[in-house]
Amino acid sequence: MGITGLMKTAGAPACTGHLVQVAASLLFLAVILLPSCVVGFQLWGLEELQSPVPRRALLQHHNHDQVIRTEMIHRDHPASPLRSTSSVKTLKERFVDALKRGNNRIQSIAHHIAIGGTKSFQSQVSSGDGEYLMPISLGTPAQKSTVIVDTGSDLMWTQCLPCDSCYPQNDPLFNPAASSTYKLATCTSALCQALPSTACTNAGDCEYGYGYGDGSVTEGLFASDTLSFAGSAGNLPNFGFGCGVANEGNFGAADGIVGLGQGPVSLVSQMRNSNMDAIFSYCLVGIDSTRTSPLLLGNANAAGVAYTPIVSNPVNPTFYYAGVTGVSVNGVPVDYPANSFNILANGNGGLIIDSGTTITYLVQAAYTPILQAIENTVNYPKVDGSAIGLDMCFSTKGVANPVYPTVTFHFAGGANFILAPENNFLLLDPTADTTCLAMAGIDGFSILGNVQQQDHMMVFDVAAKRIGFKSVACDTV
């Protein structure tokens, strides 16, 4: 099936027998249901998941709450299908690759905002810039898939049979004919109407098309099926997703994408259909760790979490924005223009909390004084970081216990996001003792990246329109 380029205008969908072009976002997750205890499960074929460490530190479950748990891995994890098999890369090389993906993601977001955001059928992100993956199961009986997790997109999709144009993947393609619970969505269904670009078959079934910022596309039939977690431990019936039969572009070896954005077709939004709270949480381990990062769907009632309101950006409504009221270095407030983090009428500005970007990017007006404040507290010989793509690198050769400053982001509502030195300073070249600040300056908008989020329980409470966080050792959650 070819890419046809049909688009739905802002009204009823056009009824044609063709598919729409566009590339979308993604798809599902395989996870473990946990009512009041954590179930050990070999998600990734890793020994550590067969005998997991106790995961009770933060979670206080009520019997009436349904909480589903799965484990995510970084794309460079040994078990990741996106990890390079041609050569073993150093941390520095992998970090440089991550910065390139981050730059692609930023360019895609900027383009999406520039063309009017919600008026576009194109996703805000590039298809190949996913940083975390998770296993899911679809259908009855369950069929396993491995998908990219993305807080910056909504649509959930996976490659399906019969496929007209599919890229290679490690798992078998999802076979709708083998599932007794698979059902096509109609063009008049609420979820089909919520998609940015659709068409109708002659039988009235919903065809979708979704495009990404790098030109990658997925198109196929929008359908529903049972999304299950670790076999029969728990499931979400009648879950709407894209069954992609014409997928072209840079998706690596992932089977699809699961969108955790705020849009109506995202995973977190559809959880309401199963009487679950529209809340998800994750806790990211270090990017060089061989451990997994827990993802919790539902209200885990994490204790001691500080919350700040989600800030609305009508031009870019999928992403999670938070209101920054100040930044301090070692407890000293940094002086930068007061409007640096305001969201503008054209959609620019604001700070996005994003799982798919590695480092933190700040608008230049705020970044320059913040960088200067950090440099004033670090008295080690400077090293040229231009080959890496960072502004501040230095050598700690011969220093037994280097000392770095603490950086705190102050958010609306009084929530303080305290970044320990390991959230900001990365030893990228151990042989030369080269350490770099994991921040950079950009124009347009700011992003709090996943390095800064590591070892924090991040709570996205879409139901109450708030984001929460708490410092915690994520390999103990």
mmCIF file of all heavy atoms in Angstrom, residues 73-109:
data_model
loop_
_atom_site.group_PDB
_atom_site.id
_atom_site.type_symbol
_atom_site.label_atom_id
_atom_site.label_comp_id
_atom_site.label_asym_id
_atom_site.label_seq_id
_atom_site.Cartn_x
_atom_site.Cartn_y
_atom_site.Cartn_z
ATOM 1 N N ILE A 73 13.583 0.058 29.118
ATOM 2 C CA ILE A 73 15.031 0.032 28.998
ATOM 3 C C ILE A 73 15.467 1.180 28.102
ATOM 4 O O ILE A 73 14.725 1.601 27.204
ATOM 5 C CB ILE A 73 15.563 -1.303 28.432
ATOM 6 C CG1 ILE A 73 14.972 -1.601 27.046
ATOM 7 C CG2 ILE A 73 15.331 -2.439 29.402
ATOM 8 C CD1 ILE A 73 15.604 -2.786 26.336
ATOM 9 N N HIS A 74 16.661 1.690 28.354
ATOM 10 C CA HIS A 74 17.222 2.714 27.477
ATOM 11 C C HIS A 74 17.595 2.075 26.150
ATOM 12 O O HIS A 74 17.894 0.883 26.076
ATOM 13 C CB HIS A 74 18.460 3.335 28.131
ATOM 14 C CG HIS A 74 18.950 4.567 27.433
ATOM 15 N ND1 HIS A 74 19.903 4.524 26.438
ATOM 16 C CD2 HIS A 74 18.600 5.880 27.564
ATOM 17 C CE1 HIS A 74 20.132 5.746 26.006
ATOM 18 N NE2 HIS A 74 19.361 6.591 26.663
ATOM 19 N N ARG A 75 17.583 2.847 25.088
ATOM 20 C CA ARG A 75 17.868 2.305 23.763
ATOM 21 C C ARG A 75 19.280 1.730 23.672
ATOM 22 O O ARG A 75 19.557 0.908 22.791
ATOM 23 C CB ARG A 75 17.660 3.370 22.688
ATOM 24 C CG ARG A 75 18.558 4.570 22.801
ATOM 25 C CD ARG A 75 18.316 5.566 21.678
ATOM 26 N NE ARG A 75 18.622 4.999 20.381
ATOM 27 C CZ ARG A 75 17.895 5.174 19.280
ATOM 28 N NH1 ARG A 75 16.795 5.889 19.324
ATOM 29 N NH2 ARG A 75 18.261 4.649 18.140
ATOM 30 N N ASP A 76 20.195 2.134 24.550
ATOM 31 C CA ASP A 76 21.555 1.599 24.540
ATOM 32 C C ASP A 76 21.746 0.459 25.523
ATOM 33 O O ASP A 76 22.874 -0.011 25.724
ATOM 34 C CB ASP A 76 22.564 2.716 24.853
ATOM 35 C CG ASP A 76 22.682 3.725 23.719
ATOM 36 O OD1 ASP A 76 22.538 3.312 22.553
ATOM 37 O OD2 ASP A 76 22.915 4.921 23.992
ATOM 38 N N HIS A 77 20.670 0.018 26.147
ATOM 39 C CA HIS A 77 20.721 -1.123 27.071
ATOM 40 C C HIS A 77 21.132 -2.377 26.301
ATOM 41 O O HIS A 77 20.803 -2.532 25.122
ATOM 42 C CB HIS A 77 19.338 -1.315 27.698
ATOM 43 C CG HIS A 77 19.298 -2.281 28.826
ATOM 44 N ND1 HIS A 77 19.287 -3.647 28.632
ATOM 45 C CD2 HIS A 77 19.266 -2.093 30.179
ATOM 46 C CE1 HIS A 77 19.237 -4.247 29.796
ATOM 47 N NE2 HIS A 77 19.223 -3.332 30.754
ATOM 48 N N PRO A 78 21.863 -3.303 26.935
ATOM 49 C CA PRO A 78 22.277 -4.526 26.234
ATOM 50 C C PRO A 78 21.136 -5.315 25.605
ATOM 51 O O PRO A 78 21.342 -6.011 24.604
ATOM 52 C CB PRO A 78 22.972 -5.342 27.333
ATOM 53 C CG PRO A 78 23.481 -4.317 28.292
ATOM 54 C CD PRO A 78 22.455 -3.215 28.292
ATOM 55 N N ALA A 79 19.916 -5.213 26.153
ATOM 56 C CA ALA A 79 18.782 -5.968 25.617
ATOM 57 C C ALA A 79 17.984 -5.203 24.577
ATOM 58 O O ALA A 79 17.005 -5.719 24.044
ATOM 59 C CB ALA A 79 17.846 -6.389 26.759
ATOM 60 N N SER A 80 18.396 -3.975 24.245
ATOM 61 C CA SER A 80 17.623 -3.137 23.332
ATOM 62 C C SER A 80 17.817 -3.540 21.874
ATOM 63 O O SER A 80 18.949 -3.735 21.427
ATOM 64 C CB SER A 80 18.036 -1.674 23.503
ATOM 65 O OG SER A 80 17.505 -0.873 22.462
ATOM 66 N N PRO A 81 16.728 -3.627 21.099
ATOM 67 C CA PRO A 81 16.853 -3.900 19.660
ATOM 68 C C PRO A 81 17.430 -2.709 18.893
ATOM 69 O O PRO A 81 17.810 -2.852 17.734
ATOM 70 C CB PRO A 81 15.409 -4.179 19.232
ATOM 71 C CG PRO A 81 14.562 -3.448 20.216
ATOM 72 C CD PRO A 81 15.313 -3.539 21.517
ATOM 73 N N LEU A 82 17.498 -1.537 19.530
ATOM 74 C CA LEU A 82 18.049 -0.352 18.881
ATOM 75 C C LEU A 82 19.540 -0.179 19.149
ATOM 76 O O LEU A 82 20.182 0.697 18.574
ATOM 77 C CB LEU A 82 17.313 0.911 19.355
ATOM 78 C CG LEU A 82 15.802 0.955 19.125
ATOM 79 C CD1 LEU A 82 15.246 2.310 19.536
ATOM 80 C CD2 LEU A 82 15.462 0.656 17.672
ATOM 81 N N ARG A 83 20.100 -1.006 20.024
ATOM 82 C CA ARG A 83 21.522 -0.905 20.344
ATOM 83 C C ARG A 83 22.360 -1.350 19.147
ATOM 84 O O ARG A 83 22.037 -2.339 18.485
ATOM 85 C CB ARG A 83 21.852 -1.762 21.561
ATOM 86 C CG ARG A 83 23.307 -1.689 22.026
ATOM 87 C CD ARG A 83 23.521 -2.633 23.198
ATOM 88 N NE ARG A 83 24.916 -2.707 23.612
ATOM 89 C CZ ARG A 83 25.455 -1.990 24.582
ATOM 90 N NH1 ARG A 83 24.696 -1.138 25.235
ATOM 91 N NH2 ARG A 83 26.722 -2.128 24.907
ATOM 92 N N SER A 84 23.421 -0.629 18.899
ATOM 93 C CA SER A 84 24.304 -0.965 17.792
ATOM 94 C C SER A 84 24.965 -2.320 18.029
ATOM 95 O O SER A 84 25.507 -2.585 19.098
ATOM 96 C CB SER A 84 25.385 0.098 17.624
ATOM 97 O OG SER A 84 26.328 -0.292 16.651
ATOM 98 N N THR A 85 24.887 -3.186 17.017
ATOM 99 C CA THR A 85 25.506 -4.516 17.114
ATOM 100 C C THR A 85 26.802 -4.593 16.317
ATOM 101 O O THR A 85 27.535 -5.571 16.418
ATOM 102 C CB THR A 85 24.539 -5.600 16.601
ATOM 103 O OG1 THR A 85 24.163 -5.280 15.248
ATOM 104 C CG2 THR A 85 23.297 -5.656 17.468
ATOM 105 N N SER A 86 27.068 -3.550 15.547
ATOM 106 C CA SER A 86 28.264 -3.573 14.697
ATOM 107 C C SER A 86 29.533 -3.309 15.492
ATOM 108 O O SER A 86 30.609 -3.786 15.145
ATOM 109 C CB SER A 86 28.140 -2.537 13.576
ATOM 110 O OG SER A 86 27.968 -1.238 14.120
ATOM 111 N N SER A 87 29.409 -2.540 16.575
ATOM 112 C CA SER A 87 30.578 -2.241 17.396
ATOM 113 C C SER A 87 30.115 -1.852 18.787
ATOM 114 O O SER A 87 28.985 -1.413 18.988
ATOM 115 C CB SER A 87 31.386 -1.101 16.776
ATOM 116 O OG SER A 87 30.613 0.084 16.726
ATOM 117 N N VAL A 88 30.990 -2.025 19.755
ATOM 118 C CA VAL A 88 30.701 -1.631 21.125
ATOM 119 C C VAL A 88 31.161 -0.187 21.303
ATOM 120 O O VAL A 88 32.353 0.108 21.246
ATOM 121 C CB VAL A 88 31.409 -2.551 22.132
ATOM 122 C CG1 VAL A 88 31.119 -2.081 23.557
ATOM 123 C CG2 VAL A 88 30.958 -3.989 21.942
ATOM 124 N N LYS A 89 30.218 0.717 21.500
ATOM 125 C CA LYS A 89 30.541 2.132 21.608
ATOM 126 C C LYS A 89 30.830 2.518 23.048
ATOM 127 O O LYS A 89 30.272 1.960 23.995
ATOM 128 C CB LYS A 89 29.394 2.978 21.058
ATOM 129 C CG LYS A 89 29.168 2.824 19.563
ATOM 130 C CD LYS A 89 28.140 3.811 19.058
ATOM 131 C CE LYS A 89 27.985 3.733 17.542
ATOM 132 N NZ LYS A 89 27.029 4.743 17.021
ATOM 133 N N THR A 90 31.706 3.502 23.209
ATOM 134 C CA THR A 90 31.996 4.036 24.525
ATOM 135 C C THR A 90 30.833 4.909 24.984
ATOM 136 O O THR A 90 29.969 5.297 24.189
ATOM 137 C CB THR A 90 33.276 4.886 24.498
ATOM 138 O OG1 THR A 90 33.056 6.032 23.659
ATOM 139 C CG2 THR A 90 34.458 4.073 23.964
ATOM 140 N N LEU A 91 30.812 5.254 26.266
ATOM 141 C CA LEU A 91 29.776 6.136 26.783
ATOM 142 C C LEU A 91 29.815 7.481 26.060
ATOM 143 O O LEU A 91 28.768 8.046 25.723
ATOM 144 C CB LEU A 91 29.964 6.347 28.288
ATOM 145 C CG LEU A 91 29.013 7.361 28.950
ATOM 146 C CD1 LEU A 91 27.565 6.926 28.783
ATOM 147 C CD2 LEU A 91 29.367 7.542 30.423
ATOM 148 N N LYS A 92 30.998 7.977 25.794
ATOM 149 C CA LYS A 92 31.134 9.245 25.087
ATOM 150 C C LYS A 92 30.511 9.161 23.701
ATOM 151 O O LYS A 92 29.769 10.067 23.284
ATOM 152 C CB LYS A 92 32.614 9.624 24.975
ATOM 153 C CG LYS A 92 32.870 10.910 24.219
ATOM 154 C CD LYS A 92 34.366 11.206 24.156
ATOM 155 C CE LYS A 92 34.662 12.451 23.327
ATOM 156 N NZ LYS A 92 36.119 12.718 23.259
ATOM 157 N N GLU A 93 30.776 8.077 22.969
ATOM 158 C CA GLU A 93 30.220 7.917 21.627
ATOM 159 C C GLU A 93 28.702 7.802 21.676
ATOM 160 O O GLU A 93 27.994 8.381 20.840
ATOM 161 C CB GLU A 93 30.823 6.682 20.961
ATOM 162 C CG GLU A 93 32.301 6.831 20.611
ATOM 163 C CD GLU A 93 32.942 5.536 20.151
ATOM 164 O OE1 GLU A 93 32.500 4.450 20.619
ATOM 165 O OE2 GLU A 93 33.877 5.584 19.335
ATOM 166 N N ARG A 94 28.181 7.060 22.646
ATOM 167 C CA ARG A 94 26.729 6.925 22.774
ATOM 168 C C ARG A 94 26.088 8.245 23.166
ATOM 169 O O ARG A 94 24.972 8.571 22.741
ATOM 170 C CB ARG A 94 26.396 5.830 23.782
ATOM 171 C CG ARG A 94 26.658 4.428 23.244
ATOM 172 C CD ARG A 94 26.238 3.341 24.203
ATOM 173 N NE ARG A 94 27.280 3.066 25.183
ATOM 174 C CZ ARG A 94 27.132 3.130 26.497
ATOM 175 N NH1 ARG A 94 25.965 3.483 27.009
ATOM 176 N NH2 ARG A 94 28.117 2.841 27.309
ATOM 177 N N PHE A 95 26.787 9.013 23.989
ATOM 178 C CA PHE A 95 26.261 10.305 24.405
ATOM 179 C C PHE A 95 26.204 11.267 23.227
ATOM 180 O O PHE A 95 25.230 12.016 23.067
ATOM 181 C CB PHE A 95 27.131 10.875 25.529
ATOM 182 C CG PHE A 95 26.551 12.096 26.180
ATOM 183 C CD1 PHE A 95 25.525 11.980 27.107
ATOM 184 C CD2 PHE A 95 27.014 13.360 25.867
ATOM 185 C CE1 PHE A 95 24.976 13.099 27.717
ATOM 186 C CE2 PHE A 95 26.476 14.490 26.464
ATOM 187 C CZ PHE A 95 25.462 14.356 27.386
ATOM 188 N N VAL A 96 27.236 11.265 22.401
ATOM 189 C CA VAL A 96 27.233 12.117 21.210
ATOM 190 C C VAL A 96 26.077 11.735 20.286
ATOM 191 O O VAL A 96 25.399 12.604 19.727
ATOM 192 C CB VAL A 96 28.584 12.021 20.473
ATOM 193 C CG1 VAL A 96 28.506 12.701 19.104
ATOM 194 C CG2 VAL A 96 29.698 12.649 21.308
ATOM 195 N N ASP A 97 25.835 10.431 20.121
ATOM 196 C CA ASP A 97 24.694 9.979 19.319
ATOM 197 C C ASP A 97 23.381 10.495 19.906
ATOM 198 O O ASP A 97 22.479 10.911 19.176
ATOM 199 C CB ASP A 97 24.663 8.451 19.245
ATOM 200 C CG ASP A 97 25.775 7.873 18.391
ATOM 201 O OD1 ASP A 97 26.379 8.627 17.610
ATOM 202 O OD2 ASP A 97 26.041 6.655 18.513
ATOM 203 N N ALA A 98 23.288 10.451 21.248
ATOM 204 C CA ALA A 98 22.070 10.917 21.917
ATOM 205 C C ALA A 98 21.860 12.412 21.696
ATOM 206 O O ALA A 98 20.723 12.873 21.511
ATOM 207 C CB ALA A 98 22.132 10.607 23.407
ATOM 208 N N LEU A 99 22.951 13.177 21.695
ATOM 209 C CA LEU A 99 22.831 14.612 21.442
ATOM 210 C C LEU A 99 22.332 14.878 20.026
ATOM 211 O O LEU A 99 21.534 15.795 19.801
ATOM 212 C CB LEU A 99 24.171 15.299 21.665
ATOM 213 C CG LEU A 99 24.670 15.398 23.111
ATOM 214 C CD1 LEU A 99 25.973 16.177 23.171
ATOM 215 C CD2 LEU A 99 23.632 16.048 24.003
ATOM 216 N N LYS A 100 22.784 14.080 19.072
ATOM 217 C CA LYS A 100 22.309 14.235 17.693
ATOM 218 C C LYS A 100 20.809 13.947 17.613
ATOM 219 O O LYS A 100 20.058 14.662 16.935
ATOM 220 C CB LYS A 100 23.084 13.303 16.768
ATOM 221 C CG LYS A 100 24.557 13.670 16.593
ATOM 222 C CD LYS A 100 25.280 12.658 15.708
ATOM 223 C CE LYS A 100 26.751 13.013 15.555
ATOM 224 N NZ LYS A 100 27.491 12.000 14.754
ATOM 225 N N ARG A 101 20.372 12.885 18.304
ATOM 226 C CA ARG A 101 18.931 12.582 18.312
ATOM 227 C C ARG A 101 18.157 13.714 18.981
ATOM 228 O O ARG A 101 17.057 14.086 18.550
ATOM 229 C CB ARG A 101 18.669 11.257 19.028
ATOM 230 C CG ARG A 101 19.221 10.037 18.314
ATOM 231 C CD ARG A 101 18.690 8.755 18.936
ATOM 232 N NE ARG A 101 19.076 8.605 20.348
ATOM 233 C CZ ARG A 101 20.188 7.999 20.766
ATOM 234 N NH1 ARG A 101 21.042 7.509 19.881
ATOM 235 N NH2 ARG A 101 20.446 7.891 22.054
ATOM 236 N N GLY A 102 18.738 14.268 20.059
ATOM 237 C CA GLY A 102 18.089 15.381 20.740
ATOM 238 C C GLY A 102 17.945 16.595 19.848
ATOM 239 O O GLY A 102 16.906 17.271 19.844
ATOM 240 N N ASN A 103 18.979 16.879 19.073
ATOM 241 C CA ASN A 103 18.903 18.013 18.139
ATOM 242 C C ASN A 103 17.831 17.785 17.081
ATOM 243 O O ASN A 103 17.099 18.713 16.704
ATOM 244 C CB ASN A 103 20.266 18.229 17.480
ATOM 245 C CG ASN A 103 21.296 18.793 18.440
ATOM 246 O OD1 ASN A 103 20.942 19.463 19.409
ATOM 247 N ND2 ASN A 103 22.564 18.510 18.199
ATOM 248 N N ASN A 104 17.711 16.547 16.592
ATOM 249 C CA ASN A 104 16.649 16.224 15.623
ATOM 250 C C ASN A 104 15.276 16.430 16.237
ATOM 251 O O ASN A 104 14.351 16.954 15.586
ATOM 252 C CB ASN A 104 16.796 14.784 15.137
ATOM 253 C CG ASN A 104 18.014 14.571 14.264
ATOM 254 O OD1 ASN A 104 18.539 15.510 13.673
ATOM 255 N ND2 ASN A 104 18.477 13.332 14.178
ATOM 256 N N ARG A 105 15.139 16.013 17.487
ATOM 257 C CA ARG A 105 13.853 16.144 18.171
ATOM 258 C C ARG A 105 13.493 17.624 18.346
ATOM 259 O O ARG A 105 12.349 18.025 18.128
ATOM 260 C CB ARG A 105 13.920 15.436 19.525
ATOM 261 C CG ARG A 105 12.589 15.312 20.261
ATOM 262 C CD ARG A 105 12.773 14.456 21.507
ATOM 263 N NE ARG A 105 11.558 14.297 22.284
ATOM 264 C CZ ARG A 105 10.664 13.324 22.132
ATOM 265 N NH1 ARG A 105 10.852 12.423 21.179
ATOM 266 N NH2 ARG A 105 9.602 13.234 22.900
ATOM 267 N N ILE A 106 14.472 18.422 18.741
ATOM 268 C CA ILE A 106 14.234 19.850 18.925
ATOM 269 C C ILE A 106 13.803 20.498 17.612
ATOM 270 O O ILE A 106 12.863 21.305 17.578
ATOM 271 C CB ILE A 106 15.504 20.518 19.480
ATOM 272 C CG1 ILE A 106 15.695 20.127 20.946
ATOM 273 C CG2 ILE A 106 15.427 22.041 19.353
ATOM 274 C CD1 ILE A 106 17.041 20.511 21.501
ATOM 275 N N GLN A 107 14.471 20.142 16.524
ATOM 276 C CA GLN A 107 14.117 20.706 15.222
ATOM 277 C C GLN A 107 12.698 20.323 14.822
ATOM 278 O O GLN A 107 11.955 21.137 14.263
ATOM 279 C CB GLN A 107 15.117 20.242 14.170
ATOM 280 C CG GLN A 107 16.515 20.830 14.345
ATOM 281 C CD GLN A 107 17.535 20.222 13.397
ATOM 282 O OE1 GLN A 107 17.171 19.550 12.437
ATOM 283 N NE2 GLN A 107 18.810 20.442 13.681
ATOM 284 N N SER A 108 12.300 19.076 15.137
ATOM 285 C CA SER A 108 10.940 18.635 14.808
ATOM 286 C C SER A 108 9.903 19.390 15.622
ATOM 287 O O SER A 108 8.858 19.797 15.099
ATOM 288 C CB SER A 108 10.812 17.126 15.048
ATOM 289 O OG SER A 108 11.630 16.396 14.175
ATOM 290 N N ILE A 109 10.174 19.582 16.921
ATOM 291 C CA ILE A 109 9.240 20.320 17.768
ATOM 292 C C ILE A 109 9.122 21.762 17.283
ATOM 293 O O ILE A 109 8.022 22.320 17.188
ATOM 294 C CB ILE A 109 9.691 20.273 19.242
ATOM 295 C CG1 ILE A 109 9.682 18.829 19.766
ATOM 296 C CG2 ILE A 109 8.781 21.142 20.110
ATOM 297 C CD1 ILE A 109 10.327 18.670 21.133
#
